[in-house]
PDB file of all heavy atoms in Angstrom:
ATOM      1  N   GLN A  11    -137.788  60.359 -32.364  1.00  0.00           N
ATOM      2  CA  GLN A  11    -136.990  59.379 -33.108  1.00  0.00           C
ATOM      3  C   GLN A  11    -136.989  59.707 -34.596  1.00  0.00           C
ATOM      4  O   GLN A  11    -135.954  59.585 -35.266  1.00  0.00           O
ATOM      5  CB  GLN A  11    -137.538  57.970 -32.889  1.00  0.00           C
ATOM      6  CG  GLN A  11    -136.604  56.879 -33.402  1.00  0.00           C
ATOM      7  CD  GLN A  11    -135.364  56.739 -32.533  1.00  0.00           C
ATOM      8  OE1 GLN A  11    -135.453  56.507 -31.345  1.00  0.00           O
ATOM      9  NE2 GLN A  11    -134.195  56.893 -33.152  1.00  0.00           N
ATOM     10  N   ALA A  12    -138.144  60.132 -35.113  1.00  0.00           N
ATOM     11  CA  ALA A  12    -138.222  60.485 -36.527  1.00  0.00           C
ATOM     12  C   ALA A  12    -137.294  61.657 -36.840  1.00  0.00           C
ATOM     13  O   ALA A  12    -136.607  61.669 -37.874  1.00  0.00           O
ATOM     14  CB  ALA A  12    -139.664  60.829 -36.899  1.00  0.00           C
ATOM     15  N   LEU A  13    -137.255  62.630 -35.956  1.00  0.00           N
ATOM     16  CA  LEU A  13    -136.354  63.777 -36.135  1.00  0.00           C
ATOM     17  C   LEU A  13    -134.898  63.324 -36.099  1.00  0.00           C
ATOM     18  O   LEU A  13    -134.084  63.705 -36.944  1.00  0.00           O
ATOM     19  CB  LEU A  13    -136.631  64.808 -35.045  1.00  0.00           C
ATOM     20  CG  LEU A  13    -135.864  66.138 -35.069  1.00  0.00           C
ATOM     21  CD1 LEU A  13    -136.675  67.209 -34.342  1.00  0.00           C
ATOM     22  CD2 LEU A  13    -134.496  66.027 -34.411  1.00  0.00           C
ATOM     23  N   ILE A  14    -134.581  62.493 -35.100  1.00  0.00           N
ATOM     24  CA  ILE A  14    -133.209  62.001 -34.945  1.00  0.00           C
ATOM     25  C   ILE A  14    -132.782  61.194 -36.162  1.00  0.00           C
ATOM     26  O   ILE A  14    -131.686  61.377 -36.712  1.00  0.00           O
ATOM     27  CB  ILE A  14    -133.096  61.165 -33.652  1.00  0.00           C
ATOM     28  CG1 ILE A  14    -133.246  62.078 -32.428  1.00  0.00           C
ATOM     29  CG2 ILE A  14    -131.779  60.391 -33.611  1.00  0.00           C
ATOM     30  CD1 ILE A  14    -133.640  61.350 -31.168  1.00  0.00           C
ATOM     31  N   ASP A  15    -133.649  60.284 -36.615  1.00  0.00           N
ATOM     32  CA  ASP A  15    -133.312  59.432 -37.754  1.00  0.00           C
ATOM     33  C   ASP A  15    -133.120  60.263 -39.025  1.00  0.00           C
ATOM     34  O   ASP A  15    -132.256  59.961 -39.859  1.00  0.00           O
ATOM     35  CB  ASP A  15    -134.392  58.372 -37.964  1.00  0.00           C
ATOM     36  CG  ASP A  15    -134.422  57.342 -36.842  1.00  0.00           C
ATOM     37  OD1 ASP A  15    -133.497  57.345 -36.006  1.00  0.00           O
ATOM     38  OD2 ASP A  15    -135.376  56.542 -36.800  1.00  0.00           O
ATOM     39  N   LYS A  16    -133.924  61.317 -39.191  1.00  0.00           N
ATOM     40  CA  LYS A  16    -133.760  62.205 -40.348  1.00  0.00           C
ATOM     41  C   LYS A  16    -132.364  62.841 -40.337  1.00  0.00           C
ATOM     42  O   LYS A  16    -131.724  62.992 -41.392  1.00  0.00           O
ATOM     43  CB  LYS A  16    -134.839  63.292 -40.314  1.00  0.00           C
ATOM     44  CG  LYS A  16    -134.715  64.349 -41.401  1.00  0.00           C
ATOM     45  CD  LYS A  16    -134.960  63.772 -42.786  1.00  0.00           C
ATOM     46  CE  LYS A  16    -134.906  64.849 -43.852  1.00  0.00           C
ATOM     47  NZ  LYS A  16    -135.048  64.289 -45.227  1.00  0.00           N
ATOM     48  N   SER A  17    -131.876  63.169 -39.157  1.00  0.00           N
ATOM     49  CA  SER A  17    -130.560  63.817 -39.044  1.00  0.00           C
ATOM     50  C   SER A  17    -129.413  62.895 -39.432  1.00  0.00           C
ATOM     51  O   SER A  17    -128.301  63.359 -39.686  1.00  0.00           O
ATOM     52  CB  SER A  17    -130.340  64.318 -37.611  1.00  0.00           C
ATOM     53  OG  SER A  17    -130.024  63.242 -36.731  1.00  0.00           O
ATOM     54  N   GLN A  18    -129.673  61.601 -39.482  1.00  0.00           N
ATOM     55  CA  GLN A  18    -128.591  60.640 -39.688  1.00  0.00           C
ATOM     56  C   GLN A  18    -128.395  60.214 -41.146  1.00  0.00           C
ATOM     57  O   GLN A  18    -127.551  59.363 -41.440  1.00  0.00           O
ATOM     58  CB  GLN A  18    -128.864  59.384 -38.841  1.00  0.00           C
ATOM     59  CG  GLN A  18    -128.993  59.654 -37.351  1.00  0.00           C
ATOM     60  CD  GLN A  18    -127.717  60.176 -36.726  1.00  0.00           C
ATOM     61  OE1 GLN A  18    -126.740  59.460 -36.582  1.00  0.00           O
ATOM     62  NE2 GLN A  18    -127.711  61.454 -36.355  1.00  0.00           N
ATOM     63  N   GLU A  19    -129.143  60.809 -42.055  1.00  0.00           N
ATOM     64  CA  GLU A  19    -129.096  60.389 -43.457  1.00  0.00           C
ATOM     65  C   GLU A  19    -127.691  60.448 -44.054  1.00  0.00           C
ATOM     66  O   GLU A  19    -127.326  59.627 -44.896  1.00  0.00           O
ATOM     67  CB  GLU A  19    -130.046  61.245 -44.293  1.00  0.00           C
ATOM     68  CG  GLU A  19    -131.518  60.954 -44.020  1.00  0.00           C
ATOM     69  CD  GLU A  19    -132.448  61.830 -44.847  1.00  0.00           C
ATOM     70  OE1 GLU A  19    -131.954  62.817 -45.450  1.00  0.00           O
ATOM     71  OE2 GLU A  19    -133.649  61.525 -44.905  1.00  0.00           O
ATOM     72  N   HIS A  20    -126.894  61.408 -43.632  1.00  0.00           N
ATOM     73  CA  HIS A  20    -125.549  61.572 -44.201  1.00  0.00           C
ATOM     74  C   HIS A  20    -124.438  61.280 -43.188  1.00  0.00           C
ATOM     75  O   HIS A  20    -123.278  61.624 -43.431  1.00  0.00           O
ATOM     76  CB  HIS A  20    -125.390  62.992 -44.746  1.00  0.00           C
ATOM     77  CG  HIS A  20    -126.385  63.338 -45.811  1.00  0.00           C
ATOM     78  ND1 HIS A  20    -126.424  62.708 -47.032  1.00  0.00           N
ATOM     79  CD2 HIS A  20    -127.415  64.230 -45.820  1.00  0.00           C
ATOM     80  CE1 HIS A  20    -127.403  63.199 -47.762  1.00  0.00           C
ATOM     81  NE2 HIS A  20    -128.030  64.126 -47.043  1.00  0.00           N
ATOM     82  N   VAL A  21    -124.809  60.640 -42.083  1.00  0.00           N
ATOM     83  CA  VAL A  21    -123.805  60.318 -41.056  1.00  0.00           C
ATOM     84  C   VAL A  21    -123.146  58.992 -41.424  1.00  0.00           C
ATOM     85  O   VAL A  21    -123.592  57.914 -41.029  1.00  0.00           O
ATOM     86  CB  VAL A  21    -124.440  60.273 -39.643  1.00  0.00           C
ATOM     87  CG1 VAL A  21    -123.381  59.923 -38.599  1.00  0.00           C
ATOM     88  CG2 VAL A  21    -125.078  61.620 -39.323  1.00  0.00           C
ATOM     89  N   GLU A  22    -122.124  59.084 -42.232  1.00  0.00           N
ATOM     90  CA  GLU A  22    -121.400  57.886 -42.658  1.00  0.00           C
ATOM     91  C   GLU A  22    -119.917  58.205 -42.778  1.00  0.00           C
ATOM     92  O   GLU A  22    -119.520  59.358 -42.915  1.00  0.00           O
ATOM     93  CB  GLU A  22    -121.941  57.364 -43.988  1.00  0.00           C
ATOM     94  CG  GLU A  22    -121.757  58.302 -45.168  1.00  0.00           C
ATOM     95  CD  GLU A  22    -122.269  57.699 -46.467  1.00  0.00           C
ATOM     96  OE1 GLU A  22    -123.491  57.689 -46.666  1.00  0.00           O
ATOM     97  OE2 GLU A  22    -121.424  57.249 -47.273  1.00  0.00           O
ATOM     98  N   GLY A  23    -119.115  57.154 -42.701  1.00  0.00           N
ATOM     99  CA  GLY A  23    -117.672  57.328 -42.759  1.00  0.00           C
ATOM    100  C   GLY A  23    -116.982  56.456 -41.746  1.00  0.00           C
ATOM    101  O   GLY A  23    -117.550  55.454 -41.281  1.00  0.00           O
ATOM    102  N   GLU A  24    -115.767  56.807 -41.389  1.00  0.00           N
ATOM    103  CA  GLU A  24    -114.975  55.982 -40.476  1.00  0.00           C
ATOM    104  C   GLU A  24    -114.273  56.855 -39.446  1.00  0.00           C
ATOM    105  O   GLU A  24    -113.753  57.923 -39.762  1.00  0.00           O
ATOM    106  CB  GLU A  24    -113.946  55.169 -41.265  1.00  0.00           C
ATOM    107  CG  GLU A  24    -113.249  54.097 -40.440  1.00  0.00           C
ATOM    108  CD  GLU A  24    -112.392  53.188 -41.301  1.00  0.00           C
ATOM    109  OE1 GLU A  24    -111.410  53.684 -41.901  1.00  0.00           O
ATOM    110  OE2 GLU A  24    -112.702  51.988 -41.389  1.00  0.00           O
ATOM    111  N   VAL A  25    -114.282  56.373 -38.215  1.00  0.00           N
ATOM    112  CA  VAL A  25    -113.654  57.074 -37.099  1.00  0.00           C
ATOM    113  C   VAL A  25    -112.513  56.218 -36.563  1.00  0.00           C
ATOM    114  O   VAL A  25    -112.656  55.009 -36.395  1.00  0.00           O
ATOM    115  CB  VAL A  25    -114.675  57.350 -35.974  1.00  0.00           C
ATOM    116  CG1 VAL A  25    -113.989  57.945 -34.754  1.00  0.00           C
ATOM    117  CG2 VAL A  25    -115.782  58.273 -36.470  1.00  0.00           C
ATOM    118  N   THR A  26    -111.392  56.845 -36.289  1.00  0.00           N
ATOM    119  CA  THR A  26    -110.252  56.169 -35.686  1.00  0.00           C
ATOM    120  C   THR A  26    -110.149  56.578 -34.217  1.00  0.00           C
ATOM    121  O   THR A  26    -110.112  57.770 -33.903  1.00  0.00           O
ATOM    122  CB  THR A  26    -108.942  56.524 -36.414  1.00  0.00           C
ATOM    123  OG1 THR A  26    -109.063  56.193 -37.797  1.00  0.00           O
ATOM    124  CG2 THR A  26    -107.773  55.750 -35.810  1.00  0.00           C
ATOM    125  N   LEU A  27    -110.122  55.581 -33.349  1.00  0.00           N
ATOM    126  CA  LEU A  27    -110.058  55.823 -31.908  1.00  0.00           C
ATOM    127  C   LEU A  27    -108.832  55.153 -31.312  1.00  0.00           C
ATOM    128  O   LEU A  27    -108.372  54.118 -31.811  1.00  0.00           O
ATOM    129  CB  LEU A  27    -111.304  55.262 -31.216  1.00  0.00           C
ATOM    130  CG  LEU A  27    -112.671  55.762 -31.648  1.00  0.00           C
ATOM    131  CD1 LEU A  27    -113.758  54.950 -30.960  1.00  0.00           C
ATOM    132  CD2 LEU A  27    -112.829  57.244 -31.340  1.00  0.00           C
ATOM    133  N   LYS A  28    -108.347  55.743 -30.228  1.00  0.00           N
ATOM    134  CA  LYS A  28    -107.332  55.089 -29.408  1.00  0.00           C
ATOM    135  C   LYS A  28    -107.931  54.832 -28.029  1.00  0.00           C
ATOM    136  O   LYS A  28    -108.474  55.758 -27.405  1.00  0.00           O
ATOM    137  CB  LYS A  28    -106.074  55.947 -29.305  1.00  0.00           C
ATOM    138  CG  LYS A  28    -105.278  55.994 -30.598  1.00  0.00           C
ATOM    139  CD  LYS A  28    -103.927  56.667 -30.421  1.00  0.00           C
ATOM    140  CE  LYS A  28    -103.118  56.578 -31.716  1.00  0.00           C
ATOM    141  NZ  LYS A  28    -101.774  57.191 -31.561  1.00  0.00           N
ATOM    142  N   LEU A  29    -107.862  53.589 -27.601  1.00  0.00           N
ATOM    143  CA  LEU A  29    -108.416  53.185 -26.311  1.00  0.00           C
ATOM    144  C   LEU A  29    -107.259  53.023 -25.336  1.00  0.00           C
ATOM    145  O   LEU A  29    -106.324  52.250 -25.581  1.00  0.00           O
ATOM    146  CB  LEU A  29    -109.180  51.861 -26.461  1.00  0.00           C
ATOM    147  CG  LEU A  29    -110.145  51.771 -27.650  1.00  0.00           C
ATOM    148  CD1 LEU A  29    -110.792  50.392 -27.709  1.00  0.00           C
ATOM    149  CD2 LEU A  29    -111.198  52.869 -27.589  1.00  0.00           C
ATOM    150  N   TYR A  30    -107.329  53.752 -24.226  1.00  0.00           N
ATOM    151  CA  TYR A  30    -106.174  53.752 -23.322  1.00  0.00           C
ATOM    152  C   TYR A  30    -106.615  54.003 -21.880  1.00  0.00           C
ATOM    153  O   TYR A  30    -107.104  55.084 -21.552  1.00  0.00           O
ATOM    154  CB  TYR A  30    -105.169  54.815 -23.749  1.00  0.00           C
ATOM    155  CG  TYR A  30    -103.898  54.850 -22.928  1.00  0.00           C
ATOM    156  CD1 TYR A  30    -102.989  53.796 -22.974  1.00  0.00           C
ATOM    157  CD2 TYR A  30    -103.621  55.933 -22.109  1.00  0.00           C
ATOM    158  CE1 TYR A  30    -101.822  53.825 -22.226  1.00  0.00           C
ATOM    159  CE2 TYR A  30    -102.455  55.967 -21.348  1.00  0.00           C
ATOM    160  CZ  TYR A  30    -101.553  54.908 -21.405  1.00  0.00           C
ATOM    161  OH  TYR A  30    -100.406  54.938 -20.654  1.00  0.00           O
ATOM    162  N   LYS A  31    -106.466  52.988 -21.064  1.00  0.00           N
ATOM    163  CA  LYS A  31    -106.679  53.103 -19.616  1.00  0.00           C
ATOM    164  C   LYS A  31    -107.972  53.847 -19.251  1.00  0.00           C
ATOM    165  O   LYS A  31    -107.970  54.847 -18.547  1.00  0.00           O
ATOM    166  CB  LYS A  31    -105.473  53.763 -18.946  1.00  0.00           C
ATOM    167  CG  LYS A  31    -104.219  52.882 -18.951  1.00  0.00           C
ATOM    168  CD  LYS A  31    -103.124  53.482 -18.121  1.00  0.00           C
ATOM    169  CE  LYS A  31    -101.913  52.560 -18.058  1.00  0.00           C
ATOM    170  NZ  LYS A  31    -102.175  51.277 -17.366  1.00  0.00           N
ATOM    171  N   GLY A  32    -109.081  53.341 -19.766  1.00  0.00           N
ATOM    172  CA  GLY A  32    -110.374  53.920 -19.444  1.00  0.00           C
ATOM    173  C   GLY A  32    -110.799  55.071 -20.323  1.00  0.00           C
ATOM    174  O   GLY A  32    -111.931  55.556 -20.204  1.00  0.00           O
ATOM    175  N   ASN A  33    -109.926  55.518 -21.208  1.00  0.00           N
ATOM    176  CA  ASN A  33    -110.223  56.668 -22.063  1.00  0.00           C
ATOM    177  C   ASN A  33    -110.488  56.240 -23.501  1.00  0.00           C
ATOM    178  O   ASN A  33    -109.889  55.281 -24.000  1.00  0.00           O
ATOM    179  CB  ASN A  33    -109.049  57.653 -22.054  1.00  0.00           C
ATOM    180  CG  ASN A  33    -108.843  58.285 -20.695  1.00  0.00           C
ATOM    181  OD1 ASN A  33    -109.679  59.034 -20.212  1.00  0.00           O
ATOM    182  ND2 ASN A  33    -107.725  57.960 -20.059  1.00  0.00           N
ATOM    183  N   VAL A  34    -111.388  56.982 -24.151  1.00  0.00           N
ATOM    184  CA  VAL A  34    -111.645  56.815 -25.578  1.00  0.00           C
ATOM    185  C   VAL A  34    -111.214  58.109 -26.257  1.00  0.00           C
ATOM    186  O   VAL A  34    -111.839  59.153 -26.068  1.00  0.00           O
ATOM    187  CB  VAL A  34    -113.127  56.534 -25.861  1.00  0.00           C
ATOM    188  CG1 VAL A  34    -113.331  56.280 -27.355  1.00  0.00           C
ATOM    189  CG2 VAL A  34    -113.619  55.337 -25.047  1.00  0.00           C
ATOM    190  N   ILE A  35    -110.135  58.032 -27.021  1.00  0.00           N
ATOM    191  CA  ILE A  35    -109.528  59.228 -27.607  1.00  0.00           C
ATOM    192  C   ILE A  35    -109.749  59.211 -29.117  1.00  0.00           C
ATOM    193  O   ILE A  35    -109.372  58.257 -29.802  1.00  0.00           O
ATOM    194  CB  ILE A  35    -108.015  59.263 -27.310  1.00  0.00           C
ATOM    195  CG1 ILE A  35    -107.776  59.191 -25.796  1.00  0.00           C
ATOM    196  CG2 ILE A  35    -107.365  60.505 -27.906  1.00  0.00           C
ATOM    197  CD1 ILE A  35    -106.371  58.762 -25.418  1.00  0.00           C
ATOM    198  N   THR A  36    -110.368  60.249 -29.636  1.00  0.00           N
ATOM    199  CA  THR A  36    -110.584  60.351 -31.080  1.00  0.00           C
ATOM    200  C   THR A  36    -109.286  60.765 -31.757  1.00  0.00           C
ATOM    201  O   THR A  36    -108.705  61.803 -31.440  1.00  0.00           O
ATOM    202  CB  THR A  36    -111.690  61.369 -31.404  1.00  0.00           C
ATOM    203  OG1 THR A  36    -112.899  60.975 -30.748  1.00  0.00           O
ATOM    204  CG2 THR A  36    -111.934  61.440 -32.898  1.00  0.00           C
ATOM    205  N   ALA A  37    -108.852  59.931 -32.709  1.00  0.00           N
ATOM    206  CA  ALA A  37    -107.596  60.200 -33.411  1.00  0.00           C
ATOM    207  C   ALA A  37    -107.824  60.655 -34.848  1.00  0.00           C
ATOM    208  O   ALA A  37    -106.936  61.251 -35.470  1.00  0.00           O
ATOM    209  CB  ALA A  37    -106.710  58.952 -33.393  1.00  0.00           C
ATOM    210  N   GLY A  38    -109.001  60.360 -35.399  1.00  0.00           N
ATOM    211  CA  GLY A  38    -109.274  60.768 -36.776  1.00  0.00           C
ATOM    212  C   GLY A  38    -110.698  60.469 -37.160  1.00  0.00           C
ATOM    213  O   GLY A  38    -111.368  59.655 -36.525  1.00  0.00           O
ATOM    214  N   ARG A  39    -111.190  61.170 -38.173  1.00  0.00           N
ATOM    215  CA  ARG A  39    -112.517  60.929 -38.708  1.00  0.00           C
ATOM    216  C   ARG A  39    -112.541  61.346 -40.168  1.00  0.00           C
ATOM    217  O   ARG A  39    -111.949  62.371 -40.536  1.00  0.00           O
ATOM    218  CB  ARG A  39    -113.609  61.622 -37.889  1.00  0.00           C
ATOM    219  CG  ARG A  39    -113.687  63.123 -37.899  1.00  0.00           C
ATOM    220  CD  ARG A  39    -112.562  63.820 -37.222  1.00  0.00           C
ATOM    221  NE  ARG A  39    -112.784  64.080 -35.798  1.00  0.00           N
ATOM    222  CZ  ARG A  39    -111.817  64.460 -35.003  1.00  0.00           C
ATOM    223  NH1 ARG A  39    -110.581  64.645 -35.485  1.00  0.00           N
ATOM    224  NH2 ARG A  39    -112.035  64.689 -33.734  1.00  0.00           N
ATOM    225  N   ALA A  40    -113.201  60.530 -41.014  1.00  0.00           N
ATOM    226  CA  ALA A  40    -113.254  60.799 -42.450  1.00  0.00           C
ATOM    227  C   ALA A  40    -114.606  60.352 -42.988  1.00  0.00           C
ATOM    228  O   ALA A  40    -115.166  59.350 -42.530  1.00  0.00           O
ATOM    229  CB  ALA A  40    -112.133  60.070 -43.181  1.00  0.00           C
ATOM    230  N   SER A  41    -115.130  61.116 -43.959  1.00  0.00           N
ATOM    231  CA  SER A  41    -116.428  60.783 -44.529  1.00  0.00           C
ATOM    232  C   SER A  41    -116.554  61.331 -45.940  1.00  0.00           C
ATOM    233  O   SER A  41    -116.142  62.463 -46.208  1.00  0.00           O
ATOM    234  CB  SER A  41    -117.555  61.354 -43.661  1.00  0.00           C
ATOM    235  OG  SER A  41    -118.808  61.221 -44.311  1.00  0.00           O
ATOM    236  N   PRO A  42    -117.175  60.550 -46.846  1.00  0.00           N
ATOM    237  CA  PRO A  42    -117.469  61.091 -48.178  1.00  0.00           C
ATOM    238  C   PRO A  42    -118.547  62.176 -48.129  1.00  0.00           C
ATOM    239  O   PRO A  42    -118.733  62.917 -49.090  1.00  0.00           O
ATOM    240  CB  PRO A  42    -117.953  59.861 -48.955  1.00  0.00           C
ATOM    241  CG  PRO A  42    -118.470  58.924 -47.902  1.00  0.00           C
ATOM    242  CD  PRO A  42    -117.591  59.142 -46.720  1.00  0.00           C
ATOM    243  N   LYS A  43    -119.256  62.270 -46.993  1.00  0.00           N
ATOM    244  CA  LYS A  43    -120.301  63.285 -46.818  1.00  0.00           C
ATOM    245  C   LYS A  43    -119.843  64.407 -45.879  1.00  0.00           C
ATOM    246  O   LYS A  43    -120.669  65.132 -45.337  1.00  0.00           O
ATOM    247  CB  LYS A  43    -121.561  62.623 -46.250  1.00  0.00           C
ATOM    248  CG  LYS A  43    -122.139  61.487 -47.087  1.00  0.00           C
ATOM    249  CD  LYS A  43    -122.775  62.004 -48.363  1.00  0.00           C
ATOM    250  CE  LYS A  43    -123.441  60.893 -49.154  1.00  0.00           C
ATOM    251  NZ  LYS A  43    -124.651  60.370 -48.492  1.00  0.00           N
ATOM    252  N   SER A  44    -118.556  64.541 -45.697  1.00  0.00           N
ATOM    253  CA  SER A  44    -118.027  65.517 -44.741  1.00  0.00           C
ATOM    254  C   SER A  44    -118.360  66.955 -45.135  1.00  0.00           C
ATOM    255  O   SER A  44    -118.310  67.326 -46.309  1.00  0.00           O
ATOM    256  CB  SER A  44    -116.507  65.369 -44.628  1.00  0.00           C
ATOM    257  OG  SER A  44    -115.979  66.351 -43.745  1.00  0.00           O
ATOM    258  N   LEU A  45    -118.698  67.758 -44.136  1.00  0.00           N
ATOM    259  CA  LEU A  45    -118.918  69.195 -44.313  1.00  0.00           C
ATOM    260  C   LEU A  45    -117.680  70.000 -43.922  1.00  0.00           C
ATOM    261  O   LEU A  45    -117.682  71.235 -44.019  1.00  0.00           O
ATOM    262  CB  LEU A  45    -120.114  69.650 -43.466  1.00  0.00           C
ATOM    263  CG  LEU A  45    -121.477  69.060 -43.855  1.00  0.00           C
ATOM    264  CD1 LEU A  45    -122.531  69.450 -42.823  1.00  0.00           C
ATOM    265  CD2 LEU A  45    -121.888  69.515 -45.241  1.00  0.00           C
ATOM    266  N   TYR A  46    -116.655  69.313 -43.487  1.00  0.00           N
ATOM    267  CA  TYR A  46    -115.423  69.987 -43.079  1.00  0.00           C
ATOM    268  C   TYR A  46    -114.629  70.405 -44.309  1.00  0.00           C
ATOM    269  O   TYR A  46    -114.399  69.602 -45.225  1.00  0.00           O
ATOM    270  CB  TYR A  46    -114.582  69.056 -42.205  1.00  0.00           C
ATOM    271  CG  TYR A  46    -113.316  69.685 -41.676  1.00  0.00           C
ATOM    272  CD1 TYR A  46    -113.318  70.383 -40.478  1.00  0.00           C
ATOM    273  CD2 TYR A  46    -112.117  69.590 -42.379  1.00  0.00           C
ATOM    274  CE1 TYR A  46    -112.165  70.972 -39.985  1.00  0.00           C
ATOM    275  CE2 TYR A  46    -110.962  70.170 -41.894  1.00  0.00           C
ATOM    276  CZ  TYR A  46    -110.988  70.859 -40.697  1.00  0.00           C
ATOM    277  OH  TYR A  46    -109.847  71.444 -40.224  1.00  0.00           O
ATOM    278  N   SER A  47    -114.206  71.646 -44.338  1.00  0.00           N
ATOM    279  CA  SER A  47    -113.441  72.158 -45.482  1.00  0.00           C
ATOM    280  C   SER A  47    -112.126  72.747 -44.996  1.00  0.00           C
ATOM    281  O   SER A  47    -112.107  73.784 -44.325  1.00  0.00           O
ATOM    282  CB  SER A  47    -114.241  73.229 -46.232  1.00  0.00           C
ATOM    283  OG  SER A  47    -113.418  73.884 -47.194  1.00  0.00           O
ATOM    284  N   SER A  48    -111.027  72.106 -45.355  1.00  0.00           N
ATOM    285  CA  SER A  48    -109.714  72.630 -44.976  1.00  0.00           C
ATOM    286  C   SER A  48    -109.426  73.936 -45.704  1.00  0.00           C
ATOM    287  O   SER A  48    -108.685  74.794 -45.208  1.00  0.00           O
ATOM    288  CB  SER A  48    -108.624  71.604 -45.281  1.00  0.00           C
ATOM    289  OG  SER A  48    -108.644  71.243 -46.649  1.00  0.00           O
ATOM    290  N   THR A  49    -110.050  74.110 -46.874  1.00  0.00           N
ATOM    291  CA  THR A  49    -109.869  75.359 -47.629  1.00  0.00           C
ATOM    292  C   THR A  49    -110.450  76.538 -46.849  1.00  0.00           C
ATOM    293  O   THR A  49    -109.868  77.631 -46.809  1.00  0.00           O
ATOM    294  CB  THR A  49    -110.556  75.257 -48.999  1.00  0.00           C
ATOM    295  OG1 THR A  49    -110.019  74.148 -49.709  1.00  0.00           O
ATOM    296  CG2 THR A  49    -110.348  76.531 -49.810  1.00  0.00           C
ATOM    297  N   LEU A  50    -111.605  76.319 -46.221  1.00  0.00           N
ATOM    298  CA  LEU A  50    -112.248  77.402 -45.480  1.00  0.00           C
ATOM    299  C   LEU A  50    -111.514  77.738 -44.185  1.00  0.00           C
ATOM    300  O   LEU A  50    -111.474  78.900 -43.782  1.00  0.00           O
ATOM    301  CB  LEU A  50    -113.702  77.022 -45.157  1.00  0.00           C
ATOM    302  CG  LEU A  50    -114.688  77.058 -46.326  1.00  0.00           C
ATOM    303  CD1 LEU A  50    -116.048  76.517 -45.888  1.00  0.00           C
ATOM    304  CD2 LEU A  50    -114.842  78.478 -46.868  1.00  0.00           C
TER     305      LEU A  50
END
């Protein structure tokens, strides 16, 4: 648990989902701590 909790320090932001007939579909995700780089 200590290891898991340490990993969550920067897990923040907002996720957009679409719920449809038993499915959970990820439509978007954004975070001020994002490591995703569109430039790269």
Side-chain angles (χ1 to χ4, degrees):
Q11 191 71 57
L13 183 155
I14 291 159
D15 292 350
K16 175 67 177 176
S17 76
Q18 302 296 290
E19 289 179 348
H20 301 295
V21 179
E22 64 178 77
E24 191 172 64
V25 174
T26 303
L27 302 173
K28 288 189 175 182
L29 313 178
Y30 183 67
K31 291 188 176 295
N33 294 294
V34 184
I35 304 161
T36 302
R39 68 292 270 167
S41 171
K43 302 289 184 70
S44 178
L45 295 173
Y46 183 88
S47 170
S48 57
T49 302
L50 286 174

